[in-house]
């Protein structure tokens, strides 16, 4: 394992580089408000054992990468109202910017081409990466993510309620995020309470940037519908989605797969899966990367 700080334009990105240096590069792009440590080590180990060189990093504004606290952040309720009225949103940065960060990271590391896995918001960033920098992406893996189409269903009522809450102290925040992560799990793959709490505490100890989540949320809302250009993507794509995803319900995955190039997309529904990376699915998830590379 190598922990790096890589300068990409005006940003410094925290990166962890694991596995054989001559292995096939596999770039992992994490979701909303989460650090590179949200990728389970057990899942990483499965990929490195298969010979992949696995790269995971903190987005700008997250974890140990460059902070963006100097940027003005519009009020959440005002932004939500503008979004509901289909009015233009001004986000402190865009998903395209995060995609360009990923491309710059690969180039700075001397990597000409990589398989890319994006989860949730990371899958949205990965879509932009494959469109804006197609030569860098050999295979695209989009897990529990969306095209951003407006007609798709909202998160579950419980998740919407939790996401609107603003803890007033660090202790309240630890309790809040433990409840949030519990609500993200699917019925077939629950995570023990102690494990959830330990993950939240470890993340908070590494870096504490709650306002970054709001800025990323605004970037998602401002990005709009990517459906119109998804069919232009050139790499083979796999779309994996849980039948019980409470954040981005299953129609998001189905619609996303339908927008992608016919004959170059593999769509799979995992029964009982929610919106997380439970240990019981590590084998299946890790093997799906190898399967796409072999079949498409």
């Amino acid at each position: 394992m190598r922990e790096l700080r890589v300068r990409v334009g005006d940003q410094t990105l925290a990166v962890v580089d694991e596995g054989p240096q001559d292995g096939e590069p596999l770039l992992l792009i994490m979701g909303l408000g989460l650090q590179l440590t949200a990728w389970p080590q057990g899942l990483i180990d499965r990929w490195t054992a298969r010979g992949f060189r696995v790269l995971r990093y903190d987005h700008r504004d997250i974890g140990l990468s460059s902070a963006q606290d100097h940027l003005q952040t519009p009020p959440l309720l005002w932004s939500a109202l503008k979004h509901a009225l289909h009015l233009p949103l001004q986000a402190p940065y865009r998903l395209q910017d995060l995609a360009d960060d990923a491309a710059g990271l690969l180039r700075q590391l001397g990597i000409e081409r990589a398989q890319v896995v994006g989860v949730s918001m990371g899958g949205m960033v990965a879509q932009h990466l494959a469109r804006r920098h197609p030569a860098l992406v050999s295979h695209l893996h989009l897990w529990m993510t969306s095209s951003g189409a407006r007609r798709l269903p909202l998160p579950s009522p419980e998740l919407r309620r939790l996401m609107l809450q603003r803890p007033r102290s660090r202790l309240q925040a630890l309790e809040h995020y433990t409840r949030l992560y519990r609500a993200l799990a699917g019925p077939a793959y629950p995570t023990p309470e102690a494990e959830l709490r330990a993950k939240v505490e470890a993340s908070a100890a590494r870096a504490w940037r709650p306002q970054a989540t709001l800025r990323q949320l605004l970037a998602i809302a401002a990005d709009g519908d990517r459906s119109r250009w998804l069919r232009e993507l050139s790499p083979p794509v796999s779309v994996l989605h849980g039948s019980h995803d409470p954040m981005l319900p299953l129609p998001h995955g189905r619609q996303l797969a339908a927008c992608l190039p016919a004959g170059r997309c593999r769509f799979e529904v995992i029964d009982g899966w929610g919106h997380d990376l439970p240990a019981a699915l590590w084998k299946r998830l890790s093997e799906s990367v190898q399967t796409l590379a072999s079949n498409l």
Side-chain angles (χ1 to χ4, degrees):
M1 179 188 297
R2 296 192 303 156
E3 295 191 13
L4 312 171
R5 298 292 183 272
V6 179
R7 189 73 177 175
V8 177
D10 295 333
Q11 310 299 322
T12 298
L13 303 182
V15 184
V16 172
D17 181 353
E18 297 181 69
Q21 292 298 290
D22 60 350
E24 181 180 3
L26 179 63
L27 179 68
L28 308 182
I29 308 181
M30 185 37 73
L32 176 68
L34 295 175
Q35 303 178 52
L36 64 82
T37 50
W39 290 101
Q41 189 61 49
L43 181 58
I44 306 296
D45 291 344
R46 287 181 177 274
W47 279 318
T48 57
R50 290 172 176 267
F52 284 103
R53 177 186 177 185
V54 181
L55 301 157
R56 48 186 167 138
Y57 68 101
D58 290 328
H59 291 289
R60 66 167 73 180
D61 209 16
I62 290 292
L64 303 181
S65 290
S66 295
Q68 307 291 297
D69 292 331
H70 61 285
L71 298 176
Q72 186 175 8
T73 304
L76 176 60
L77 291 179
W78 174 238
S79 298
L81 177 61
K82 291 179 69 175
H83 185 254
L85 295 174
H86 293 223
L87 297 174
L89 281 178
Q90 295 298 320
Y93 44 79
R94 306 170 303 162
L95 294 186
Q96 294 98 312
D97 297 323
L98 302 184
D100 290 346
D101 289 346
L105 172 62
L106 290 175
R107 292 187 175 113
Q108 287 293 97
L109 294 176
I111 294 173
E112 296 181 356
R113 202 161 170 81
Q115 294 205 48
V116 176
V117 179
V119 298
S120 197
M121 183 197 77
M124 303 171 196
V125 173
Q127 292 165 42
H128 280 289
L129 175 62
R131 185 192 190 200
R132 295 168 68 85
H133 307 276
L136 291 174
V137 181
S138 63
H139 296 79
L140 185 61
H141 308 269
L142 304 176
W143 297 354
M144 48 180 160
T145 190
S146 175
S147 71
R150 290 293 294 255
R151 66 183 182 273
L152 293 166
L154 295 171
S156 70
E158 180 186 7
L159 272 183
R160 277 181 277 160
R161 178 182 59 81
L162 287 169
M163 291 174 69
L164 289 173
Q165 292 179 4
R166 289 292 172 264
R168 296 182 180 275
S169 69
R170 193 181 182 93
L171 180 59
Q172 287 181 0
L174 293 174
E175 296 293 341
H176 168 74
Y177 283 108
T178 301
R179 290 195 301 271
L180 179 63
Y181 295 155
R182 185 192 311 125
L184 289 171
Y189 304 100
T191 300
E193 186 77 10
E195 184 177 332
L196 283 177
R197 178 76 182 203
K199 287 180 180 179
V200 171
E201 290 178 346
S203 178
R206 182 174 183 264
W208 182 247
R209 296 184 183 174
Q211 287 305 309
T213 300
L214 175 55
R215 288 189 282 267
Q216 288 189 346
L217 192 59
L218 289 170
I220 293 171
D223 198 54
D225 188 350
R226 294 170 294 278
S227 302
R228 66 190 183 279
W229 50 257
L230 285 172
R231 205 168 295 280
E232 302 170 8
L233 299 186
S234 56
V237 187
S238 70
V239 176
L240 270 63
H241 218 97
S243 63
H244 289 72
D245 189 324
M247 177 67 78
L248 297 170
L250 181 56
H252 286 260
R254 292 193 187 281
Q255 191 269 349
L256 173 62
C259 291
L260 289 160
R264 296 183 63 77
C265 174
R266 182 172 63 86
F267 175 53
E268 182 180 354
V269 178
I270 299 181
D271 189 46
W273 185 26
H275 199 83
D276 57 356
L277 297 169
L281 286 177
W282 292 347
K283 181 176 186 294
R284 187 169 180 177
L285 294 174
S286 64
E287 289 176 350
S288 73
V289 171
Q290 198 85 32
T291 299
L292 180 70
S294 301
N295 295 342
L296 289 177

